[in-house]
Amino acid sequence: MYEVLPKQWRDNVFSDLDDEWMLVTASNKEGKINTMTASWGGFGVMWGRPICFCVIRPQRYTYGFAEEADRLTLTFLKKGFRESLALCGKKSGRDCDKIIEAGLHPVVCRDVVGFEEARTVIVGRKIYVGDMKENGFLDKSIIGRYYPTKDYHRLYVCEIEKILTAEEP
Ligand SMILES: Cc1cc2nc3c(=O)[nH]c(=O)nc-3n(C[C@H](O)[C@H](O)[C@H](O)COP(=O)(O)O)c2cc1C
């Protein structure tokens, strides 16, 4: 993998997220790994630092991992892994070894988890965590549409430590 600086990264993150989807991955204190598919999140600048963010509902198994971990990774897979992403977005790591079922191969370096099948891995260190609140939604239609059971996402803002890409920059 090649490392690119945030300002050199040329991806269209709108199509990356909305069309291709990503994996949000973390390892817990015992070194167990879990991952889930996500299509909501973003990249930008906060507090003078390059950041990425993702949102995780409390019922996800990944939530406990994200809580324990200091770092999360956001991974965009190479073309041809749509079924793997669909599986990781449907099955829970509570019930099966979905990483194996999805045909994915984790690459672990200390507390950072990437995948052999990755096109891009963004390594983020958690710097802000907060739960979405009902009174924060000015457009109330979002609540009815996305939170009928009030399972508001937890927001994880991470400082981008590394962007690794399989394609030569
Ligand atoms: C395209 C897609 C996008 C998703 N985006 C999110 C997301 O941003 N946040 C979230 O909490 N769940 C999201 N999910 C749902 C989780 O991926 C799904 O519930 C998964 O099975 C959770 O696995 P886990 O229990 O092992 O954590 C998404 C699912 C799909 C298919």
Side-chain angles (χ1 to χ4, degrees):
M1 299 285 270
Y2 303 90
E3 184 172 350
V4 291
L5 297 173
K7 287 181 185 176
Q8 296 171 331
W9 191 34
R10 293 282 166 250
D11 272 36
N12 184 319
V13 295
F14 291 94
S15 57
D16 280 353
L17 285 165
D18 204 28
D19 305 332
E20 292 190 26
W21 310 340
M22 65 181 176
L23 292 172
V24 177
T25 311
S27 58
N28 67 12
K29 299 275 183 240
E30 287 84 52
K32 193 173 175 215
I33 298 164
N34 203 59
T35 192
M36 63 164 226
T37 301
S39 57
W40 291 357
F43 303 88
V45 180
M46 281 295 289
W47 308 295
R49 306 170 192 197
I51 57 101
C52 55
F53 71 88
C54 61
V55 291
I56 305 180
R57 292 188 201 254
Q59 66 269 38
R60 310 294 186 231
Y61 191 49
T62 306
Y63 181 92
F65 288 71
E67 283 299 287
E68 277 191 30
D70 294 325
R71 290 180 175 76
L72 309 179
T73 56
L74 305 182
T75 299
F76 296 105
L77 296 176
K78 291 176 181 158
K79 295 243 176 290
F81 289 97
R82 188 68 167 187
E83 280 185 23
S84 306
L85 287 161
L87 190 147
C88 292
K90 194 167 59 191
K91 291 199 171 187
S92 177
R94 260 189 214 101
D95 311 318
C96 63
D97 193 335
K98 66 173 163 179
I99 294 180
I100 289 184
E101 283 189 31
L104 298 175
H105 300 88
V107 182
V108 185
C109 180
R110 282 185 228 116
D111 60 341
V112 171
V113 188
F115 291 92
E116 277 179 26
E117 296 76 17
R119 173 170 65 77
T120 307
V121 180
I122 294 106
V123 181
R125 184 177 63 85
K126 286 188 324 191
I127 55 172
Y128 179 87
V129 174
D131 292 323
M132 297 198 173
K133 294 188 179 59
E134 185 162 338
N135 62 9
F137 288 96
L138 305 181
D139 182 340
K140 300 292 180 201
S141 70
I142 295 173
I143 298 173
R145 175 143 187 217
Y146 294 106
Y147 303 103
T149 59
K150 315 267 186 204
D151 56 341
Y152 296 105
H153 285 99
R154 177 162 285 196
L155 166 72
Y156 293 90
V157 180
C158 301
E159 179 172 3
I160 295 178
E161 291 188 326
K162 266 193 174 84
I163 300 177
L164 299 167
T165 162
E167 291 145 21
E168 200 171 344

